[in-house]
Amino acid sequence: MTVVSPSPGLCAGCVSGRRIDSAKGSTFWRCAEHDRDPSWPKYPRLPVLRCSRFVAGEVPAGPAQG
């Protein structure tokens, strides 16, 4: 059975977003802003559609098409 993870929303394109893949096959998104401010959520509820601390970063490249 294949489990489809929800889109992380803004976290995928944020410089603070960190994708965490567990040994059991689960994927989590961790926010590095939590390291600077412990009151900020470490693992935000997904998908993140609005975030006051979003800073655009490089979006990881997907598979080549063509």
Side-chain angles (χ1 to χ4, degrees):
M1 177 168 99
T2 302
V3 177
V4 177
S5 298
S7 166
L10 291 174
C11 295
C14 183
V15 297
S16 296
R18 307 286 186 267
R19 181 178 168 153
I20 309 293
D21 295 314
S22 77
K24 293 185 178 182
S26 296
T27 299
F28 301 93
W29 283 83
R30 184 182 185 290
C31 184
E33 281 295 310
H34 175 80
D35 299 340
R36 291 179 275 285
D37 178 1
S39 69
W40 195 255
K42 184 185 262 187
Y43 295 99
R45 175 171 258 166
L46 301 178
V48 174
L49 302 177
R50 290 183 304 194
C51 180
S52 62
R53 298 188 187 186
F54 174 79
V55 177
E58 270 191 48
V59 176
Q65 295 184 8

